[in-house]
Amino acid sequence: MPLQAVFLLLLHCLASTLGQYELCKSLVSTDEGSVWEHYACQPKPGSMKDYMRIKVDPPGITCGNPPERFCTLENPYLCSDECDASNPDLAHPPQLMQDRERNGLITYWQTVTWKRHPEPLLANITMAWNKSLELTEDIQITFEYGRPTIMVMDKSMDHGRSWQPYQFYAEDCMDAFNMPPKRVHDLSPANITRVICTEQYSRWVGSKNEKNVKFEVRARFAVFAGQRLQNMDSLYTRMESMKGLRDFFTFTNLRLRLLRPALGGTYVQRDNLLKYFYAISNIEVPARCKCNLHASQCLLQDGNLQCQCEHNTTGQDCQRCKKGFKAKSWKAGSYLPTPNGTPNTCISSVSEFGKCNCNQMGSVHDRCNGTGYCQCKDGATGAKCDDCLPGYYWKQGCHPNVCDKEMLVCQNGGTCYQNQKCICPPEFKGVLCQHSRCEAGKDCNAASSLSLSTAALLLCTMLAHLLTTLTPH
């Protein structure tokens, strides 16, 4: 097998085995030459905490200005710790929620203490990416010194212009939100996008190891794909068929509304309010760039994540057709049929000079003119030179008709086969069956019979020889 053919076969196999829609296109070999085959594609998932912009409010909620002491719930009357924004070793600014903690030293953002009780201690943490993202794993927030007893996670899909609850968290869901408590495991395929209140991550357990609050994504995927996510085809099929499922995992911004801090399993003890505050050491948001299945890469450009769009699409999310392609032809790619999906490539209109998809068999080259038309070979026509003019037929390019039903009519009862040849009666021959097989004065029927007999004899002889060579001795 030629080396080029092996290379093309390898590329095609790679497209079939990568899975997870990681490849946008592959060069494949066909009867008409090497062509690009396009697929639905998406970027690999990764940690998005390096790209998020964090804002906390209200102003002055971060501790340290002025400096203040604080206690811990484990040792509520040992209040020797201090927060001081002017001292780098004692400051707890918001960026410590997303830093890479090195040398095992835990760093964290921290609020002021609840000295103004009974006024609520409220804090909002807003995370922005200026980009549509899709969750691929559980969101995890790590709290130091106790998890909040009441909290809400919100999401925005329009860069913070509007918000909607994503999940409620409370020690007592009915008391805090008038909602019955639920766990993700209680949900079914029919209501998997329901916003729930969970008590799983809010109750005081008296252990420093219980620091994490999750928004469970993997458990929701498992409802369709199985506990080990082995049947991802089923999940992707549901993503296409179930209204609102893909949007449920899509966001541009996230917000944590911290409504009441950890209380240590008791009521608020007013004689020592310095032990009540919020502290977050880490926020993990595993996700991928949402590129509408039109890109396999997403890169940081000018400070923002940008899909590297394929399929004649453009925009930060590949959300529209490129210039020179029909705007109304834009569609998001489809996960179906698995495993490669449907790319839904934008259709060309009046394009610029250049990558025009001219038919390789019918066009002189792959460039089109200013009106979007390719330069066609003789007999070819159409914007892409993929059709034939009247008087021509297509067979890996356009060729002049041998026969037709108007100008090049098969004679003497002959039949025109796909404009390529005349099928003649036994007694006639020629391109248009215009010549008789009989010489003047001879019996045409005898000649026809002799001709047919000779042909039959020749065929039988060939078959006998073939059987002889194939029969083992």
Side-chain angles (χ1 to χ4, degrees), residues 164-246:
Q164 60 195 77
Y166 221 0
Q167 188 151 301
F168 296 91
Y169 302 82
E171 190 178 47
D172 186 326
C173 284
M174 286 301 296
D175 180 64
F177 301 112
N178 196 30
M179 296 174 67
K182 280 190 179 294
R183 298 180 62 152
V184 172
H185 297 291
D186 299 329
L187 300 176
S188 67
N191 64 4
I192 198 67
T193 59
R194 176 178 292 179
V195 177
I196 64 172
C197 178
T198 180
E199 297 175 351
Q200 184 178 358
Y201 301 105
S202 304
R203 290 177 174 164
W204 176 255
V205 292
S207 169
K208 288 185 177 181
N209 295 326
E210 294 292 337
K211 297 180 175 182
N212 295 324
V213 173
K214 292 183 179 181
F215 177 81
E216 295 173 84
V217 173
R218 188 179 183 87
R220 286 178 166 87
F221 287 170
V223 171
F224 305 111
Q227 287 302 315
R228 297 183 180 179
L229 304 187
Q230 293 176 324
N231 189 8
M232 291 299 287
D233 281 0
S234 175
L235 173 64
Y236 288 131
T237 299
R238 288 289 189 140
M239 287 284 192
E240 292 293 335
S241 61
M242 185 173 174
K243 185 178 180 181
L245 186 60
R246 280 173 78 171

Coordinates of all heavy atoms in Angstrom, one line a residue, residues 164-246:
Q164 N -30.0 33.5 37.6 CA -31.0 32.5 38.0 C -30.4 31.6 39.0 O -29.2 31.3 39.0 CB -31.5 31.8 36.8 CG -30.5 31.0 36.1 CD -31.0 30.5 34.7 OE1 -31.0 31.3 33.8 NE2 -31.3 29.3 34.6
P165 N -31.1 31.1 40.0 CA -30.5 30.2 41.0 C -30.1 28.9 40.3 O -30.8 28.3 39.4 CB -31.7 29.9 42.0 CG -32.7 31.0 41.7 CD -32.5 31.4 40.3
Y166 N -28.9 28.4 40.8 CA -28.4 27.1 40.3 C -28.6 26.0 41.3 O -29.0 24.9 41.0 CB -26.9 27.3 40.0 CG -26.4 26.6 38.7 CD1 -27.3 25.9 37.9 CD2 -25.1 26.7 38.4 CE1 -26.8 25.3 36.7 CE2 -24.6 26.1 37.2 CZ -25.4 25.4 36.4 OH -25.0 24.8 35.3
Q167 N -28.4 26.4 42.6 CA -28.7 25.4 43.7 C -28.7 26.2 45.0 O -28.0 27.2 45.2 CB -27.6 24.3 43.7 CG -27.9 23.2 44.7 CD -27.3 21.9 44.3 OE1 -27.6 21.4 43.2 NE2 -26.5 21.3 45.1
F168 N -29.6 25.7 45.9 CA -29.7 26.2 47.3 C -29.0 25.3 48.2 O -29.1 24.0 48.1 CB -31.2 26.4 47.6 CG -31.9 27.4 46.8 CD1 -32.6 27.0 45.6 CD2 -31.9 28.8 47.1 CE1 -33.2 27.9 44.8 CE2 -32.6 29.7 46.3 CZ -33.3 29.3 45.2
Y169 N -28.4 25.8 49.3 CA -27.7 25.1 50.3 C -28.1 25.6 51.7 O -28.1 26.8 51.9 CB -26.2 25.2 50.2 CG -25.6 24.8 48.9 CD1 -25.6 25.7 47.8 CD2 -25.0 23.5 48.7 CE1 -25.1 25.3 46.5 CE2 -24.5 23.1 47.5 CZ -24.5 24.0 46.4 OH -24.0 23.6 45.2
A170 N -28.5 24.7 52.6 CA -29.0 25.1 53.9 C -28.9 24.0 54.9 O -29.0 22.8 54.5 CB -30.4 25.7 53.8
E171 N -28.7 24.4 56.1 CA -28.8 23.4 57.2 C -30.2 22.9 57.4 O -30.4 21.7 57.7 CB -28.3 24.1 58.5 CG -28.1 23.2 59.7 CD -27.6 24.0 60.9 OE1 -28.2 25.1 61.2 OE2 -26.6 23.6 61.5
D172 N -31.2 23.7 57.1 CA -32.6 23.4 57.1 C -33.3 24.0 55.9 O -33.6 25.2 55.9 CB -33.2 23.8 58.4 CG -34.7 23.3 58.6 OD1 -35.4 23.2 57.6 OD2 -35.1 23.1 59.7
C173 N -33.5 23.3 54.8 CA -34.0 23.8 53.6 C -35.4 24.4 53.7 O -35.7 25.4 53.2 CB -34.0 22.7 52.5 SG -32.4 22.4 51.8
M174 N -36.3 23.8 54.5 CA -37.6 24.3 54.7 C -37.6 25.6 55.4 O -38.3 26.6 55.1 CB -38.5 23.3 55.4 CG -38.9 22.1 54.6 SD -39.8 22.5 53.1 CE -41.3 23.2 53.9
D175 N -36.7 25.7 56.5 CA -36.7 26.9 57.2 C -36.0 28.1 56.4 O -36.5 29.2 56.5 CB -35.8 26.7 58.5 CG -35.7 27.9 59.4 OD1 -36.8 28.4 59.9 OD2 -34.6 28.4 59.5
A176 N -35.0 27.8 55.7 CA -34.3 28.8 55.0 C -34.9 29.2 53.7 O -35.0 30.4 53.3 CB -32.8 28.4 54.7
F177 N -35.5 28.3 52.9 CA -36.0 28.6 51.5 C -37.4 28.1 51.3 O -37.9 28.2 50.2 CB -35.0 28.0 50.5 CG -33.6 28.5 50.6 CD1 -32.6 27.7 51.0 CD2 -33.4 29.9 50.3 CE1 -31.3 28.2 51.0 CE2 -32.1 30.4 50.4 CZ -31.0 29.5 50.8
N178 N -38.0 27.5 52.3 CA -39.3 26.9 52.1 C -39.3 25.8 51.0 O -40.2 25.7 50.2 CB -40.4 27.9 51.8 CG -41.8 27.4 52.1 OD1 -42.0 26.5 52.9 ND2 -42.8 27.9 51.3
M179 N -38.2 25.0 50.9 CA -38.1 24.0 49.9 C -37.8 22.7 50.6 O -37.0 22.7 51.6 CB -36.9 24.3 49.0 CG -37.2 25.6 48.1 SD -35.7 25.9 47.1 CE -35.6 24.5 46.0
P180 N -38.4 21.6 50.2 CA -38.0 20.3 50.8 C -36.6 19.9 50.4 O -36.2 20.2 49.2 CB -39.0 19.3 50.2 CG -39.5 19.9 48.9 CD -39.4 21.4 49.2
P181 N -35.8 19.3 51.2 CA -34.4 19.0 50.9 C -34.4 17.8 49.9 O -35.2 16.9 49.9 CB -33.8 18.5 52.2 CG -34.9 18.1 53.0 CD -36.1 18.9 52.6
K182 N -33.4 17.9 48.9 CA -33.2 16.9 47.9 C -31.7 16.7 47.7 O -30.9 17.5 48.0 CB -33.9 17.2 46.6 CG -35.4 17.0 46.6 CD -35.9 17.1 45.1 CE -37.4 16.9 45.1 NZ -37.7 15.4 45.4
R183 N -31.4 15.5 47.2 CA -30.1 15.2 46.7 C -30.1 14.9 45.2 O -31.2 14.5 44.7 CB -29.5 14.0 47.5 CG -29.3 14.3 49.0 CD -28.7 13.1 49.7 NE -27.4 12.8 49.2 CZ -26.5 12.2 50.0 NH1 -26.8 11.9 51.3 NH2 -25.3 11.9 49.5
V184 N -29.0 15.1 44.5 CA -29.0 14.8 43.1 C -29.4 13.4 42.8 O -30.1 13.1 41.8 CB -27.6 15.1 42.5 CG1 -27.5 14.7 41.0 CG2 -27.3 16.6 42.6
H185 N -29.1 12.5 43.7 CA -29.4 11.1 43.5 C -30.9 10.8 43.6 O -31.4 9.8 43.1 CB -28.7 10.2 44.6 CG -27.2 10.2 44.5 ND1 -26.5 9.7 43.4 CD2 -26.3 10.8 45.3 CE1 -25.2 9.9 43.6 NE2 -25.1 10.6 44.7
D186 N -31.7 11.8 44.1 CA -33.1 11.7 44.1 C -33.8 12.0 42.8 O -35.0 11.8 42.6 CB -33.7 12.6 45.2 CG -33.2 12.3 46.6 OD1 -33.0 11.1 46.8 OD2 -33.1 13.2 47.4
L187 N -33.0 12.7 41.9 CA -33.6 13.1 40.6 C -33.6 12.0 39.6 O -32.9 11.0 39.7 CB -32.7 14.3 40.1 CG -32.6 15.5 41.0 CD1 -31.6 16.5 40.4 CD2 -34.0 16.1 41.2
S188 N -34.5 12.2 38.6 CA -34.7 11.2 37.5 C -34.4 11.9 36.2 O -34.2 13.1 36.1 CB -36.2 10.7 37.5 OG -37.0 11.8 37.2
P189 N -34.3 11.1 35.1 CA -34.0 11.7 33.8 C -35.0 12.8 33.4 O -34.7 13.8 32.8 CB -34.1 10.5 32.8 CG -33.7 9.4 33.7 CD -34.3 9.6 35.0
A190 N -36.2 12.7 33.9 CA -37.3 13.7 33.5 C -37.1 15.0 34.2 O -37.5 16.0 33.7 CB -38.7 13.1 33.9
N191 N -36.5 15.0 35.4 CA -36.4 16.3 36.2 C -34.9 16.6 36.6 O -34.7 17.3 37.5 CB -37.3 16.3 37.4 CG -36.9 15.2 38.4 OD1 -35.8 14.5 38.3 ND2 -37.6 15.1 39.5
I192 N -34.0 16.1 35.8 CA -32.6 16.3 36.1 C -32.1 17.7 36.1 O -31.1 18.1 36.7 CB -31.7 15.5 35.1 CG1 -30.3 15.2 35.7 CG2 -31.6 16.1 33.8 CD1 -30.3 14.3 36.9
T193 N -32.8 18.6 35.5 CA -32.5 20.0 35.4 C -33.2 20.8 36.5 O -33.1 22.1 36.5 CB -32.8 20.7 34.0 OG1 -34.2 20.5 33.8 CG2 -32.0 20.0 32.9
R194 N -33.8 20.2 37.4 CA -34.6 20.9 38.5 C -33.5 21.5 39.5 O -32.5 21.0 39.8 CB -35.4 19.9 39.3 CG -36.1 20.5 40.5 CD -37.0 19.6 41.2 NE -38.2 19.2 40.4 CZ -39.1 18.3 40.7 NH1 -39.0 17.7 41.9 NH2 -40.1 18.1 39.9
V195 N -33.8 22.8 39.9 CA -33.0 23.5 40.9 C -33.5 23.0 42.2 O -34.7 23.0 42.6 CB -33.2 25.0 40.8 CG1 -32.4 25.7 41.9 CG2 -32.8 25.5 39.4
I196 N -32.5 22.5 43.0 CA -32.8 21.8 44.3 C -32.2 22.6 45.5 O -31.3 23.4 45.3 CB -32.4 20.3 44.3 CG1 -30.9 20.2 44.2 CG2 -33.1 19.5 43.2 CD1 -30.3 18.8 44.5
C197 N -32.7 22.3 46.7 CA -32.0 22.7 47.9 C -31.5 21.4 48.6 O -32.2 20.4 48.7 CB -33.0 23.4 48.8 SG -32.3 23.9 50.4
T198 N -30.2 21.5 48.9 CA -29.6 20.3 49.6 C -29.1 20.7 50.9 O -28.6 21.8 51.2 CB -28.4 19.8 48.7 OG1 -27.9 18.6 49.4 CG2 -27.4 20.8 48.4
E199 N -29.2 19.8 51.9 CA -28.6 19.9 53.2 C -27.3 19.2 53.4 O -26.7 19.2 54.5 CB -29.7 19.4 54.3 CG -31.0 20.2 54.2 CD -32.0 19.6 55.2 OE1 -31.8 18.5 55.7 OE2 -33.1 20.3 55.4
Q200 N -26.9 18.6 52.3 CA -25.7 17.7 52.4 C -24.4 18.4 52.7 O -23.5 17.8 53.3 CB -25.6 17.0 51.0 CG -24.5 15.9 50.9 CD -24.5 15.3 49.5 OE1 -25.3 15.6 48.7 NE2 -23.5 14.4 49.3
Y201 N -24.3 19.7 52.3 CA -23.0 20.4 52.5 C -23.1 21.5 53.5 O -22.2 22.4 53.5 CB -22.6 20.9 51.1 CG -22.4 19.8 50.1 CD1 -23.4 19.7 49.1 CD2 -21.3 19.0 50.1 CE1 -23.2 18.7 48.1 CE2 -21.1 18.0 49.2 CZ -22.1 17.8 48.2 OH -21.9 16.9 47.2
S202 N -24.1 21.6 54.3 CA -24.3 22.7 55.2 C -24.3 22.4 56.7 O -24.1 23.3 57.5 CB -25.6 23.4 54.9 OG -25.6 23.8 53.5
R203 N -24.5 21.2 57.0 CA -24.6 20.8 58.4 C -23.2 20.7 59.1 O -22.2 20.3 58.4 CB -25.3 19.5 58.6 CG -26.8 19.6 58.3 CD -27.5 18.2 58.4 NE -28.9 18.4 58.2 CZ -29.7 17.4 57.9 NH1 -29.3 16.2 57.8 NH2 -31.0 17.6 57.8
W204 N -23.1 21.1 60.3 CA -21.9 21.1 61.0 C -21.5 19.7 61.4 O -22.3 19.0 62.0 CB -22.0 22.0 62.3 CG -20.7 21.9 63.1 CD1 -20.6 21.2 64.3 CD2 -19.5 22.5 62.9 NE1 -19.3 21.4 64.8 CE2 -18.6 22.2 64.0 CE3 -19.0 23.3 61.9 CZ2 -17.3 22.7 64.0 CZ3 -17.7 23.8 61.9 CH2 -16.9 23.5 63.0
V205 N -20.3 19.2 61.1 CA -19.9 17.9 61.4 C -18.8 17.8 62.4 O -18.3 16.7 62.8 CB -19.5 17.1 60.1 CG1 -20.7 16.9 59.2 CG2 -18.4 17.9 59.3
G206 N -18.2 19.0 62.7 CA -17.2 19.1 63.8 C -15.9 18.5 63.3 O -15.0 18.1 64.1
S207 N -15.6 18.4 62.0 CA -14.4 17.9 61.5 C -13.8 18.9 60.5 O -14.5 19.4 59.6 CB -14.6 16.6 60.8 OG -13.5 16.2 60.1
K208 N -12.5 19.1 60.7 CA -11.8 20.0 59.7 C -11.7 19.5 58.3 O -11.5 20.2 57.4 CB -10.4 20.3 60.3 CG -10.3 21.2 61.5 CD -8.9 21.5 61.9 CE -8.8 22.4 63.1 NZ -7.4 22.8 63.4
N209 N -11.9 18.2 58.2 CA -11.8 17.5 56.9 C -13.1 17.8 56.0 O -13.0 17.7 54.8 CB -11.7 16.0 57.0 CG -10.3 15.7 57.6 OD1 -9.3 16.3 57.4 ND2 -10.3 14.6 58.4
E210 N -14.2 18.2 56.7 CA -15.4 18.5 55.9 C -15.4 19.9 55.5 O -16.0 20.8 56.2 CB -16.6 18.1 56.8 CG -16.8 16.7 57.1 CD -17.1 15.9 55.8 OE1 -17.6 16.4 54.8 OE2 -16.8 14.6 55.8
K211 N -14.7 20.3 54.4 CA -14.5 21.6 54.0 C -15.3 22.0 52.7 O -15.5 23.1 52.4 CB -13.0 22.0 53.8 CG -12.2 21.9 55.0 CD -10.7 22.2 54.7 CE -9.8 22.3 55.9 NZ -8.5 22.7 55.5
N212 N -15.6 21.0 51.9 CA -16.0 21.2 50.6 C -17.5 21.3 50.4 O -18.3 20.6 51.0 CB -15.5 20.0 49.7 CG -14.0 20.0 49.6 OD1 -13.3 21.1 49.6 ND2 -13.4 18.8 49.5
V213 N -17.9 22.2 49.5 CA -19.3 22.3 49.1 C -19.2 22.1 47.6 O -18.4 22.7 46.9 CB -19.9 23.7 49.4 CG1 -21.2 23.9 48.8 CG2 -19.9 23.9 50.9
K214 N -20.1 21.2 47.1 CA -20.1 20.9 45.7 C -21.4 21.3 44.9 O -22.5 21.3 45.6 CB -19.9 19.4 45.5 CG -18.5 18.9 45.9 CD -18.4 17.4 45.6 CE -17.0 16.9 46.0 NZ -16.9 15.4 45.7
F215 N -21.3 21.6 43.7 CA -22.4 21.5 42.7 C -22.2 20.3 41.9 O -21.2 20.3 41.1 CB -22.5 22.8 41.9 CG -23.6 22.8 40.9 CD1 -24.9 23.1 41.3 CD2 -23.3 22.4 39.6 CE1 -25.9 23.0 40.3 CE2 -24.4 22.4 38.6 CZ -25.7 22.7 39.0
E216 N -23.0 19.3 42.0 CA -22.7 18.0 41.5 C -23.1 17.9 40.0 O -24.3 18.0 39.6 CB -23.5 16.9 42.3 CG -22.9 16.8 43.7 CD -23.7 15.8 44.5 OE1 -23.5 14.6 44.5 OE2 -24.7 16.3 45.2
V217 N -22.1 17.7 39.2 CA -22.3 17.6 37.7 C -22.2 16.1 37.3 O -23.0 15.6 36.5 CB -21.3 18.5 36.9 CG1 -21.4 18.2 35.4 CG2 -21.5 19.9 37.2
R218 N -21.2 15.5 37.8 CA -21.0 14.1 37.4 C -22.2 13.2 37.7 O -22.5 12.3 37.0 CB -19.7 13.6 38.1 CG -19.3 12.2 37.7 CD -18.0 11.8 38.4 NE -17.5 10.5 37.9 CZ -16.7 10.4 36.9 NH1 -16.3 11.4 36.2 NH2 -16.3 9.2 36.5
A219 N -22.8 13.4 38.9 CA -24.0 12.6 39.3 C -25.1 12.8 38.3 O -25.9 11.9 38.1 CB -24.4 12.9 40.7
R220 N -25.2 14.1 37.8 CA -26.3 14.3 36.8 C -26.0 13.6 35.5 O -26.9 13.1 34.8 CB -26.5 15.8 36.6 CG -27.1 16.5 37.8 CD -27.2 18.1 37.6 NE -28.1 18.7 38.5 CZ -27.8 19.2 39.7 NH1 -26.6 19.0 40.1 NH2 -28.7 19.7 40.5
F221 N -24.7 13.7 35.1 CA -24.3 13.0 33.9 C -24.6 11.5 34.0 O -25.0 10.8 33.1 CB -22.8 13.2 33.6 CG -22.5 14.5 33.1 CD1 -21.1 14.9 33.0 CD2 -23.4 15.4 32.7 CE1 -20.8 16.1 32.5 CE2 -23.1 16.7 32.2 CZ -21.7 17.0 32.1
A222 N -24.3 10.9 35.2 CA -24.5 9.5 35.5 C -25.9 9.0 35.3 O -26.1 7.8 35.0 CB -23.9 9.2 36.8
V223 N -26.9 9.9 35.5 CA -28.3 9.5 35.3 C -28.5 8.9 33.9 O -29.3 8.0 33.6 CB -29.2 10.7 35.5 CG1 -30.6 10.4 35.1 CG2 -29.2 11.1 37.0
F224 N -27.7 9.5 32.9 CA -27.8 9.0 31.5 C -26.7 8.1 31.1 O -26.9 7.2 30.3 CB -27.9 10.2 30.6 CG -29.0 11.2 30.9 CD1 -28.7 12.5 31.4 CD2 -30.3 10.9 30.7 CE1 -29.6 13.4 31.7 CE2 -31.3 11.8 31.0 CZ -31.0 13.0 31.5
A225 N -25.5 8.4 31.6 CA -24.3 7.7 31.1 C -23.8 6.5 32.0 O -22.9 5.9 31.7 CB -23.2 8.7 30.9
G226 N -24.5 6.3 33.1 CA -24.1 5.2 34.1 C -23.1 5.8 35.1 O -22.5 6.8 34.9
Q227 N -23.0 5.1 36.2 CA -22.2 5.6 37.3 C -20.7 5.9 37.0 O -20.1 6.8 37.5 CB -22.2 4.5 38.5 CG -23.5 4.5 39.2 CD -23.9 5.8 39.8 OE1 -23.1 6.5 40.4 NE2 -25.2 6.2 39.6
R228 N -20.1 5.1 36.1 CA -18.8 5.3 35.7 C -18.7 6.1 34.3 O -17.6 6.2 33.7 CB -18.0 4.0 35.5 CG -17.9 3.3 36.8 CD -17.1 2.0 36.7 NE -17.0 1.3 37.9 CZ -16.3 0.1 38.1 NH1 -15.8 -0.5 37.0 NH2 -16.3 -0.5 39.2
L229 N -19.8 6.7 33.9 CA -19.9 7.5 32.7 C -19.3 6.7 31.5 O -18.6 7.2 30.6 CB -19.1 8.8 32.8 CG -19.5 9.7 34.0 CD1 -18.8 11.0 33.9 CD2 -21.0 9.9 34.0
Q230 N -19.7 5.4 31.5 CA -19.2 4.5 30.4 C -20.1 4.6 29.1 O -19.6 4.3 28.0 CB -19.2 3.1 30.8 CG -18.1 2.8 31.9 CD -18.2 1.4 32.4 OE1 -19.3 0.8 32.5 NE2 -17.0 0.8 32.8
N231 N -21.3 5.1 29.2 CA -22.2 5.2 28.1 C -22.4 6.7 27.7 O -23.5 7.2 27.9 CB -23.5 4.6 28.4 CG -24.4 4.4 27.2 OD1 -24.0 4.8 26.1 ND2 -25.6 4.1 27.4
M232 N -21.3 7.4 27.3 CA -21.4 8.8 27.0 C -22.3 9.1 25.8 O -22.9 10.1 25.7 CB -20.0 9.4 26.8 CG -19.2 9.5 28.1 SD -19.9 10.5 29.4 CE -19.7 12.1 28.7
D233 N -22.4 8.1 24.9 CA -23.3 8.3 23.7 C -24.7 8.5 24.2 O -25.4 9.3 23.6 CB -23.2 7.0 22.8 CG -22.0 7.0 22.0 OD1 -21.2 7.9 22.1 OD2 -21.8 6.0 21.2
S234 N -25.1 7.9 25.2 CA -26.5 8.1 25.7 C -26.6 9.5 26.3 O -27.6 10.2 26.0 CB -26.8 7.1 26.9 OG -28.0 7.4 27.4
L235 N -25.6 10.0 26.9 CA -25.6 11.4 27.4 C -25.7 12.4 26.3 O -26.5 13.3 26.3 CB -24.4 11.7 28.3 CG -24.3 13.1 28.8 CD1 -25.4 13.6 29.7 CD2 -22.9 13.3 29.5
Y236 N -24.8 12.2 25.3 CA -24.8 13.1 24.2 C -26.1 13.1 23.4 O -26.6 14.1 22.9 CB -23.6 12.8 23.2 CG -22.3 13.2 23.9 CD1 -21.2 12.3 23.9 CD2 -22.1 14.5 24.4 CE1 -20.0 12.7 24.5 CE2 -20.9 14.8 25.0 CZ -19.9 13.9 25.0 OH -18.7 14.3 25.6
T237 N -26.7 11.9 23.3 CA -28.0 11.8 22.6 C -29.1 12.6 23.4 O -29.9 13.3 22.8 CB -28.4 10.3 22.5 OG1 -27.5 9.6 21.7 CG2 -29.8 10.2 21.8
R238 N -29.0 12.5 24.7 CA -30.0 13.3 25.5 C -29.7 14.8 25.4 O -30.6 15.6 25.4 CB -29.8 12.9 27.0 CG -30.4 11.5 27.3 CD -32.0 11.5 27.2 NE -32.5 10.3 27.7 CZ -33.6 10.2 28.4 NH1 -34.3 11.3 28.8 NH2 -34.1 9.0 28.8
M239 N -28.4 15.2 25.3 CA -28.1 16.6 25.1 C -28.8 17.2 23.9 O -29.2 18.3 23.9 CB -26.6 16.7 24.9 CG -25.8 16.5 26.2 SD -25.9 17.9 27.3 CE -24.6 17.5 28.5
E240 N -29.0 16.3 22.8 CA -29.6 16.8 21.6 C -31.2 16.8 21.7 O -31.9 17.6 21.2 CB -29.2 16.0 20.4 CG -27.8 16.1 20.0 CD -27.5 17.5 19.5 OE1 -28.4 18.2 19.0 OE2 -26.3 18.0 19.6
S241 N -31.7 15.7 22.4 CA -33.1 15.5 22.4 C -33.9 16.1 23.5 O -35.1 16.4 23.4 CB -33.4 14.0 22.4 OG -32.9 13.4 23.5
M242 N -33.2 16.4 24.7 CA -33.9 16.9 25.9 C -33.8 18.4 25.9 O -32.7 18.9 26.1 CB -33.3 16.2 27.1 CG -34.1 16.6 28.4 SD -33.5 15.6 29.8 CE -34.4 16.4 31.1
K243 N -34.9 19.1 25.8 CA -34.9 20.5 25.8 C -34.3 21.1 27.1 O -34.7 20.7 28.2 CB -36.3 21.0 25.7 CG -36.4 22.6 25.5 CD -37.9 23.0 25.3 CE -38.0 24.5 25.1 NZ -39.4 24.9 24.9
G244 N -33.4 22.0 27.0 CA -32.8 22.7 28.2 C -31.7 22.0 28.8 O -31.1 22.5 29.8
L245 N -31.3 20.7 28.4 CA -30.3 20.0 29.1 C -28.9 20.6 28.9 O -28.1 20.8 29.8 CB -30.3 18.5 28.7 CG -29.3 17.6 29.4 CD1 -29.6 17.6 30.9 CD2 -29.3 16.2 28.9
R246 N -28.6 20.9 27.6 CA -27.3 21.6 27.3 C -27.2 22.9 28.0 O -26.1 23.3 28.6 CB -27.1 21.7 25.8 CG -26.6 20.4 25.2 CD -26.5 20.5 23.7 NE -25.4 21.3 23.2 CZ -25.0 21.3 21.9 NH1 -25.8 20.7 21.0 NH2 -24.0 22.0 21.5

